């Protein structure tokens, strides 16, 4: 329904509701937390992050970015929140500066044959440290591109292709820019600062353009100014050895601090890779269904996976190869639910015929009752805090013991029917199940 909610996570309070007019495929906060980017059809919108206080109109649009032909599917920010990267269904990626930077023209990165699933910036400090430590002077990292390395990113497509892109700047252009800035008059310098100021770059307006150019040699300027008059190119192309007709890439997640990439495939397989070498560290099959979303925690120790078809949430520690959390909901949706008399336990029945027990405080499912129904569960009730009853379209009413988690009694009708509803009296001894045609009244006994 295209709605978005701004939530205070620690307090559990919804601060604001906002409706986008188009489907949102990806949304990501900037590393500094001041803005967030939203995919808006073929465009990308950047909004200012509202405060924690309630406001009349907290959602303020900063800018809208264009240039992609297909719908935007993935987004990423640079580590200093000054550059935005987006990929779409047109098999292309585009690089914008968040604020207007003089003489910068957005770049379009091509080379894929399938829609892009993930685009990721490498951490800028790590890129510059690698350049200064191993490749002193020109900063050539062994690629076919000439010039000084100023940025690097990765693009992953649906057919399992990952491309490494590098942004390089010629030394002659850097010298020309520095000479031009040295000869720049005060009025021209003021004009450049005005461009930064009115485009929203408050920090850029404080520092003069000449100061930026001089400090640029030390790498203290933001990445948006470093990539001006620079050229992007593809330095390497790797394949995940997937059969594109059977197994495709569905989701990706990247940790810039540890240079680790997690890839989820349509067959339930995931892989952990180290970049930029794309060395496989860990591979495991978690499910027979598609891994719809993946995420990696800040320490890069835990990997989270979501499987929408099987309603599974998995957290995997890849170093020790153990599950931290394993949750699964009803495969085909929830049909009914009931609270226990003390309000601590929630029992749910699903279209898949299973009965699950949940902790109402933590929200986690702690048991799935065995020997459940062969058809959808239509009604579920608590007879007392230790007994839960479930009615199903398979024509049975089952009583479950919550101490031993077993089905201790099954009630059926003399005439085959499908039960649609159920009621239990206050004593918990009499249960009434209703169907479309006949109905029966039974007494619950252990």
């Amino acid at each position: 329904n295209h709605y978005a909610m701004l939530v205070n996570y620690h307090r559990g309070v919804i601060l604001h509701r906002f409706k986008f007019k188009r489907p949102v495929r990806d949304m990501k906060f900037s590393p500094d937390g001041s803005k967030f980017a939203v995919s808006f059809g073929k465009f990308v919108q950047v909004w200012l992050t509202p405060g924690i206080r309630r406001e009349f109109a907290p959602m303020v649009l900063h800018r809208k970015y264009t240039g992609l032909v297909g719908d935007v599917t993935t987004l990423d920010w640079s580590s200093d929140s000054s550059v935005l990267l987006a990929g779409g269904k047109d098999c292309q990626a585009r690089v914008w500066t968040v604020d207007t930077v003089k003489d910068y023209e957005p770049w379009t990165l091509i080379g894929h044959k399938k829609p892009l699933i993930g685009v990721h910036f490498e951490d800028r400090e790590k890129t510059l440290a690698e350049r200064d430590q191993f490749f002193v002077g020109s900063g050539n990292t062994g690629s076919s591109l000439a010039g000084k390395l100023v940025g690097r990113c990765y693009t992953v497509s649906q057919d399992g292709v990952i491309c490494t892109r590098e942004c390089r700047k010629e030394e002659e252009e850097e010298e020309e820019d520095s000479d031009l800035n040295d000869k720049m008059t005060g009025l021209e310098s003021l004009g450049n600062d005005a461009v930064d100021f009115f485009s929203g770059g408050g920090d850029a307006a404080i520092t003069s353009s000449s100061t930026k150019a001089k400090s640029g040699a030390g790498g203290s300027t933001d990445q948006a100014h470093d990539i001006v008059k620079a050229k992007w190119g593809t330095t390497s192309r790797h394949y995940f050895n997937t059969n594109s007709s059977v197994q495709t890439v569905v989701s990706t997640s990247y940790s810039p601090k540890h240079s680790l990439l997690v890839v989820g495939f349509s067959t339930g397989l995931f892989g952990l890779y180290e970049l930029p070498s794309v060395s496989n560290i860990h591979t495991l099959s978690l499910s027979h269904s598609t891994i719809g979303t993946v995420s990696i925690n800040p320490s890069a120790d835990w990997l989270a996976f979501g499987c929408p078809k099987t309603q599974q949430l998995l957290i995997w520690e890849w170093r020790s190869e153990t599950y931290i959390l394993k949750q699964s909901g009803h495969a085909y949706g929830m049909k009914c639910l009931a609270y226990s008399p003390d309000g601590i336990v929630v029992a749910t029945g699903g279209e898949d015929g299973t009965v699950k027990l949940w902790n109402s405080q933590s929200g986690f499912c702690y048991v799935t009752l065995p020997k459940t129904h062969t058809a959808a569960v239509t009604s579920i009730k608590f007879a007392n805090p230790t007994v839960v009853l479930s009615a199903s379209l398979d024509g049975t009413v089952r009583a479950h013991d919550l101490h031993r988690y077993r089905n201790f009694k099954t009630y059926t009708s003399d005439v085959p029917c499908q039960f649609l509803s159920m009621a239990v009296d206050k004593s918990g001894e009499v249960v009434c199940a209703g169907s479309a045609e006949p109905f029966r009244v039974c007494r619950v006994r252990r």
Side-chain angles (χ1 to χ4, degrees), residues 393-414:
L393 295 178
D394 61 0
T396 62
V397 175
R398 296 177 182 267
H400 308 273
D401 185 3
L402 299 189
H403 286 308
R404 300 180 180 180
Y405 301 121
R406 64 183 182 88
N407 172 221
F408 66 88
K409 185 164 284 191
T410 302
Y411 303 96
T412 59
S413 175
D414 299 337

Side-chain angles (χ1 to χ4, degrees), residues 95-148:
V95 184
W96 301 279
T97 57
V98 178
D99 299 317
T100 301
V101 176
K102 186 181 178 182
D103 298 331
Y104 177 76
E105 297 180 0
W107 275 79
T108 300
L109 309 179
I110 62 175
H112 289 282
K113 298 180 180 180
K114 293 292 182 178
L116 297 185
I117 302 300
V119 291
H120 308 286
F121 269 113
E122 188 179 63
D123 186 73
R124 182 169 179 252
E125 296 181 358
K126 198 166 187 177
T127 303
L128 298 181
E130 176 187 348
R131 180 192 68 187
D132 297 337
Q133 181 178 1
F134 299 102
F135 305 96
V136 183
S138 63
N140 193 339
T141 56
S143 66
S144 58
L145 302 177
K148 192 174 183 179

Side-chain angles (χ1 to χ4, degrees), residues 18-217:
F18 184 80
K19 183 176 182 180
F20 295 100
K21 297 180 181 179
R22 299 182 184 179
V24 176
R25 300 180 182 274
D26 196 8
M27 176 184 292
K28 189 165 292 185
F29 278 93
S30 61
D32 61 3
S34 62
K35 303 178 181 69
F36 65 90
V38 179
S39 63
F40 189 75
K42 300 178 182 179
F43 312 113
V44 175
Q45 291 182 347
V46 173
W47 297 75
L48 301 179
T49 303
I52 60 175
R53 297 182 179 180
R54 292 182 178 272
E55 302 176 10
F56 176 72
M59 304 288 287
V60 179
L61 179 64
H62 174 68
R63 187 165 298 175
K64 184 168 70 173
Y65 303 87
T66 62
L68 292 175
V69 179
D71 290 345
V72 178
T73 56
T74 178
L75 299 167
D76 196 26
W77 293 81
S78 62
S79 57
D80 59 357
S81 305
S82 64
V83 184
L84 185 64
L85 177 64
K89 290 185 176 181
D90 56 355
C91 312
Q92 299 177 0
R94 195 164 176 85
V95 184
W96 301 279
T97 57
V98 178
D99 299 317
T100 301
V101 176
K102 186 181 178 182
D103 298 331
Y104 177 76
E105 297 180 0
W107 275 79
T108 300
L109 309 179
I110 62 175
H112 289 282
K113 298 180 180 180
K114 293 292 182 178
L116 297 185
I117 302 300
V119 291
H120 308 286
F121 269 113
E122 188 179 63
D123 186 73
R124 182 169 179 252
E125 296 181 358
K126 198 166 187 177
T127 303
L128 298 181
E130 176 187 348
R131 180 192 68 187
D132 297 337
Q133 181 178 1
F134 299 102
F135 305 96
V136 183
S138 63
N140 193 339
T141 56
S143 66
S144 58
L145 302 177
K148 192 174 183 179
L149 178 65
V150 294
R152 182 184 289 153
C153 70
Y154 307 96
T155 57
V156 184
S157 61
Q158 189 177 10
D159 56 354
V161 179
I162 176 172
C163 294
T164 303
R165 323 277 187 157
E166 289 186 356
C167 182
R168 293 182 174 272
K169 197 170 186 179
E170 297 290 346
E171 294 183 358
E172 297 178 358
E173 294 182 0
E174 289 186 352
E175 294 176 358
E176 291 178 1
D177 292 342
S178 61
D179 294 340
L180 182 61
N181 288 322
D182 291 339
K183 297 177 182 179
M184 188 180 298
T185 62
L187 184 60
E188 293 175 345
S189 177
L190 185 61
N192 291 338
D193 293 339
V195 172
D196 292 334
F197 177 78
F198 286 106
S199 65
D203 296 338
I206 299 175
T207 308
S208 64
S209 300
S210 59
T211 306
K212 289 177 188 176
K214 292 179 182 179
S215 61

